[in-house]
Amino acid sequence: MSVPFVRLKVVENQQSLVIEKPLSGLSLNGKIKIPGDKSISHRALMLGALAHGETQIQGLLLGEDPRSTAECFRALGAEISPLNTELVRVQGIGLGNLLEPLDILNAGNSGTTLRLMLGILASHEGRFFTVTGDSSLRSRPMSRVVQPLKQMGATIWGRKSGSFAPLAVQGQQLQGITYHSPIASAQVKSCILLAGLMAEGETTVIEPALSRDHSERMLQAFGAKLSVNPEQNSVTVSGGAKLQGQTVIVPGDISSAAFWLVAGAIVPGSELLVENVGVNPTRTGILEVLEMMGADIQPENQRIVAGEPVADLRVKYSKLKSCKIAGDIIPRLIDEIPILAVAAVFAEGTTVIRNAEELRVKESDRIAVMASQLNKMGAKVTELPDGLEITGGTPLTGVDVDSFTDHRIAMSLAIAALNAQGVTTINRAEAAAISYPNFTATLQQICQSN
């Protein structure tokens, strides 16, 4: 009996993903249903908890991060049914009505949960909250949201003047501000807008470049008084609105689709159809870059689902070429840079990625980790202060690599291993479950020997 190309080894709760390319080669073929969008899943749970009445969520991501959000808001008084992909019911308790929890709120590994929740908690006058996360999250910077919240009148304590969790929050009546964010970050923007829902007057966030706009779309759907000025990259929310429960249909996460789009583009003989992908224009930087690199990706069945544009994406193998990735496009593909680095390894020429210093403060230092792990496999990757320089065309060899408990690193290395000779072992591969619990099963399903 032959050994599977893709298999898991489990030792004491740690998973290693073993990928062994057969001597005859392999190709990828089939249809893929990807998990629900993580950003939209978080926001649907949060706004559902803050709204009056019931919110129904279809297609929710079942990863660890949304589970952390659900647990936090259950502790704050919202009724949230068991999480599943079919239908989750959230019985909201209305803006300003969150309860003081009996224990510390734990955001797990989820920066989105912690940063967005801080804006909500800070505006609940007269209530005290303590929030923390796992060791990775406790090392990630929170000052980028704590400082503007303090400008609004928030009272927040934490390590290094509120720069790192654990954080304690004494809810206050906040005042609306105009905040010029030094970085284009949907988490920063969303945190301030959520705080502005209960602040006096108007709260405006102005960004240096456009970041993803899921919060704006969903806030408007729930009834917030919100206006957007695309020319100035600004969003304004008025305090005092009443949110009303909605039906939210979560499209597939383009960040999860990105792994299959790159896999289909770099593995010879491949053709994949990735179904139900959210193609919100603030998230499609990955498609623009892959098009620049010469990838053969065709959208099919384009449609609008609950206010979000959706399409099926068909990808076929093609010879890629290098490009430069920098500037205003970076906020629209920041999460996809690890897998784009893999694409660059198999592209002709030298790809340069700049203006991506934000990657150093994600679940891992993604710049350093991707450079070190791809170089272990034989790639030519140079680490830059704010990005990577990748010279493509060098054959990869299977070795032991490590995810550094970062879900996007684990999955990116798995895709790279599909084109590596020999056996690649990705240690701590269980990290993939943060955003894509069925990643390994899907990979096993589409791999075919030549």
Side-chain angles (χ1 to χ4, degrees):
M1 184 176 175
S2 62
V3 176
F5 314 139
V6 180
R7 58 192 186 273
L8 277 176
K9 290 195 309 186
V10 182
V11 180
E12 295 181 354
N13 296 325
Q14 283 203 351
Q15 295 180 0
S16 294
L17 178 58
V18 181
I19 297 175
E20 184 172 1
K21 183 179 176 181
L23 293 176
S24 59
L26 58 78
S27 58
L28 310 176
N29 290 278
K31 295 181 180 179
I32 296 174
K33 291 185 178 179
I34 54 173
D37 187 285
K38 186 152 71 86
S39 298
I40 296 174
S41 295
H42 281 302
R43 288 157 174 80
L45 290 167
M46 290 184 184
L47 293 186
L50 296 174
H52 290 275
E54 184 178 88
T55 291
Q56 298 186 0
I57 309 170
Q58 300 172 30
L60 185 87
L61 170 65
L62 293 184
E64 294 301 320
D65 283 5
R67 292 186 189 280
S68 296
T69 293
E71 283 303 310
C72 286
F73 280 85
R74 285 182 182 126
L76 293 164
E79 294 180 18
I80 302 175
S81 68
L83 301 192
N84 62 81
T85 58
E86 301 302 317
L87 179 63
V88 175
R89 299 179 185 273
V90 182
Q91 195 63 44
I93 54 178
L95 270 174
N97 295 325
L98 294 183
L99 307 178
E100 272 191 344
L102 298 176
D103 206 342
I104 296 169
L105 298 168
N106 192 334
N109 188 248
S110 177
T112 302
T113 303
L114 183 50
R115 292 193 179 109
L116 271 60
M117 189 167 60
L118 282 172
I120 295 168
L121 302 180
S123 60
H124 274 68
E125 188 175 7
R127 271 147 286 185
F128 179 79
F129 312 92
T130 308
V131 295
T132 191
D134 67 9
S135 59
S136 169
L137 188 55
R138 292 196 303 272
S139 70
R140 294 167 66 184
M142 294 297 137
S143 57
R144 60 184 55 183
V145 295
V146 169
Q147 291 307 317
L149 288 175
K150 286 184 175 180
Q151 291 178 32
M152 298 176 75
T155 301
I156 301 173
W157 303 273
R159 291 186 298 124
K160 296 187 178 179
S161 301
S163 295
F164 298 96
L167 297 164
V169 182
Q170 179 65 55
Q172 305 287 353
Q173 174 59 59
L174 303 184
Q175 305 294 318
I177 61 169
T178 296
Y179 183 66
H180 291 263
S181 179
I183 57 173
S185 165
Q187 290 184 1
V188 172
K189 174 176 63 177
S190 299
C191 169
I192 299 167
L193 292 176
L194 289 168
L197 288 173
M198 291 174 55
E200 290 185 353
E202 292 185 338
T203 299
T204 299
V205 181
I206 302 171
E207 297 185 287
L210 186 66
S211 65
R212 59 186 66 174
D213 67 354
H214 299 305
S215 291
E216 295 95 301
R217 289 173 183 255
M218 199 174 293
L219 281 166
Q220 287 177 319
F222 274 76
K225 299 174 183 175
L226 185 131
S227 61
V228 179
N229 186 333
E231 294 179 1
Q232 295 185 356
N233 295 329
S234 72
V235 188
T236 299
V237 67
S238 300
K242 179 179 178 180
L243 305 184
Q244 193 63 43
Q246 300 293 316
T247 296
V248 179
I249 301 173
V250 182
D253 196 329
I254 196 168
S255 294
S256 297
F259 299 105
W260 309 123
L261 297 176
V262 170
I266 66 173
V267 176
S270 297
E271 180 174 346
L272 297 170
L273 183 66
V274 190
E275 298 179 317
N276 193 44
V277 182
V279 288
N280 182 310
T282 62
R283 297 285 299 280
T284 51
I286 176 74
L287 299 181
E288 294 169 38
V289 168
L290 287 175
E291 182 181 0
M292 283 193 293
M293 298 179 81
D296 183 354
I297 300 173
Q298 301 299 325
E300 301 177 3
N301 192 21
Q302 299 180 68
R303 57 211 185 270
I304 300 292
V305 178
E308 289 277 352
V310 174
D312 302 335
L313 300 175
R314 186 177 298 276
V315 58
K316 299 178 183 178
Y317 168 73
S318 53
K319 292 186 177 180
L320 302 183
K321 59 181 184 292
S322 61
C323 69
K324 183 173 182 180
I325 308 169
D328 288 353
I329 200 170
I330 292 292
R332 297 195 289 119
L333 51 65
I334 191 71
D335 287 335
E336 290 77 68
I337 287 177
I339 190 60
L340 280 173
V342 172
V345 168
F346 300 102
E348 182 182 350
T350 299
T351 296
V352 179
I353 302 169
R354 302 302 302 256
N355 310 126
E357 57 272 15
E358 174 73 8
L359 290 174
R360 293 200 180 274
V361 291
K362 292 287 189 178
E363 285 85 334
S364 67
D365 180 341
R366 288 178 175 165
I367 292 174
V369 172
M370 285 305 296
S372 66
Q373 301 307 294
L374 288 174
N375 284 337
K376 269 190 185 180
M377 299 176 75
K380 293 183 178 178
V381 183
T382 301
E383 185 180 334
L384 305 174
D386 61 346
L388 297 164
E389 184 176 285
I390 304 161
T391 300
T394 305
L396 299 191
T397 302
V399 293
D400 278 19
V401 291
D402 197 296
S403 77
F404 286 75
T405 68
D406 186 323
H407 55 127
R408 301 202 192 280
I409 300 292
M411 292 184 280
S412 297
L413 294 174
I415 301 306
L418 296 174
N419 268 357
Q421 295 300 320
V423 180
T424 303
T425 301
I426 298 121
N427 294 307
R428 293 192 281 183
E430 68 277 3
I434 291 290
S435 62
Y436 204 149
N438 294 326
F439 175 79
T440 299
T442 303
L443 186 57
Q444 290 170 328
Q445 166 199 324
I446 61 172
C447 279
Q448 301 174 0
S449 62
N450 292 338

